[in-house]
Amino acid sequence: LSFQTYPNLKNSAKQLLPPGTFLNCSSDDTVRIWNLDFANTSNENYVYRKNIFCQDLLKILYMDPSLTYLCDPDVNSNSNEKNDATFDGKNGVRSIKISPNGKHLASGDRSGNIRVFDFENQQEICKIEAHDAEVLAIEYSKELPNGKYLMASASRDRLIHVFDVTEQYSFRQTLDDHSSSITSVKFIPDQERKCLQMVTCGADKSIIFRKCPLDVNE
């Protein structure tokens, strides 16, 4: 449903995943980490390396601990048809986004929850019950002059939530300017005007530009 490539970081930053690594998410509540270049994954400094079962697969992240949607649906003993009643359309990961520093992976599911995974510690660091409908887009900002990062989530419930990454993803603001599902959100730093712009577009056929000071401390 969504596709992301791992960023190539500066030499001073710790590269947790090999160059050329990409991730995808699915309705089975998993995020899979792939790399097609065998030579890139042989370095022992990387957190994830290839395994013996699949040479292209580095890791599978299970967003549902109970693995509900990885199990086969029940099969009626009197017929060969599967019962798909367990798949109600609300399962699965809908969107993913990697933080600019390559440390965190944010994922949004069809139930409106946002989960943040730490690549280095290999564990979920927070779960946010953010929206009433599926999360269609997640975006991180670049580092602000005050050292802060922002994350925004957009949903089918017509809301945008903004979180402070440096404050353990604490809630910061809700925006409700759209009248329909919001399909995309982007942060654009404007150095000339000394502001951070947020651009969103939705199914209401509108594109909205917002701005805040780059040195905002609130």
Side-chain angles (χ1 to χ4, degrees), residues 7-25:
N8 290 324
L9 305 177
K10 298 179 181 178
N11 294 332
S12 59
K14 184 177 181 181
Q15 188 86 18
L16 299 174
L17 295 174
T21 298
F22 60 94
L23 298 83
N24 74 307
C25 62

Side-chain angles (χ1 to χ4, degrees), residues 69 73 82-89:
Y69 300 108
K82 289 185 177 181
N83 179 13
D84 293 331
T86 55
F87 295 87
D88 57 2

Side-chain angles (χ1 to χ4, degrees), residues 14-183:
K14 184 177 181 181
Q15 188 86 18
L16 299 174
L17 295 174
T21 298
F22 60 94
L23 298 83
N24 74 307
C25 62
S26 175
S27 58
D28 62 3
D29 274 324
T30 65
V31 175
R32 300 175 188 246
I33 305 175
W34 307 84
N35 192 293
L36 304 180
D37 189 349
F38 182 80
N40 281 342
T41 61
S42 59
N43 192 328
E44 295 183 356
N45 294 326
Y46 297 134
V47 176
Y48 306 106
R49 294 187 293 274
K50 292 185 183 295
N51 62 79
I52 61 175
F53 299 104
C54 180
Q55 291 296 304
D56 299 327
L57 182 63
L58 301 184
K59 182 75 173 177
I60 300 177
L61 308 180
Y62 299 96
M63 298 303 170
D64 178 17
S66 63
L67 307 180
T68 303
Y69 300 108
L70 281 176
C71 301
D72 287 336
D74 295 333
V75 178
N76 191 324
S77 59
N78 297 326
S79 77
N80 295 324
E81 295 182 0
K82 289 185 177 181
N83 179 13
D84 293 331
T86 55
F87 295 87
D88 57 2
K90 294 184 179 181
N91 59 292
V93 183
R94 180 63 175 80
S95 56
I96 56 175
K97 188 67 179 182
I98 301 172
S99 62
N101 58 13
K103 294 183 178 180
H104 293 170
L105 170 70
S107 66
D109 63 27
R110 291 186 180 274
S111 298
N113 301 314
I114 298 173
R115 291 179 171 87
V116 181
F117 183 86
D118 188 292
F119 281 121
E120 187 169 13
N121 297 328
Q122 303 188 45
Q123 62 182 5
E124 181 181 301
I125 58 176
C126 72
K127 176 184 175 182
I128 308 170
E129 297 179 359
H131 297 276
D132 295 328
E134 63 180 319
V135 181
L136 298 178
I138 300 176
E139 180 70 7
Y140 282 94
S141 73
K142 301 293 185 181
E143 184 177 1
L144 302 179
N146 59 3
K148 290 183 176 294
Y149 286 94
L150 298 178
M151 184 190 77
S153 63
S155 171
R156 196 176 294 279
D157 64 3
R158 301 175 295 178
L159 297 178
I160 299 169
H161 295 315
V162 182
F163 305 91
D164 190 334
V165 177
T166 53
E167 295 293 335
Q168 299 180 343
Y169 289 85
S170 60
F171 173 76
R172 184 163 181 170
Q173 188 177 12
T174 295
L175 305 170
D176 59 353
D177 299 324
H178 284 277
S179 59
S180 188
S181 303
I182 303 167
T183 55

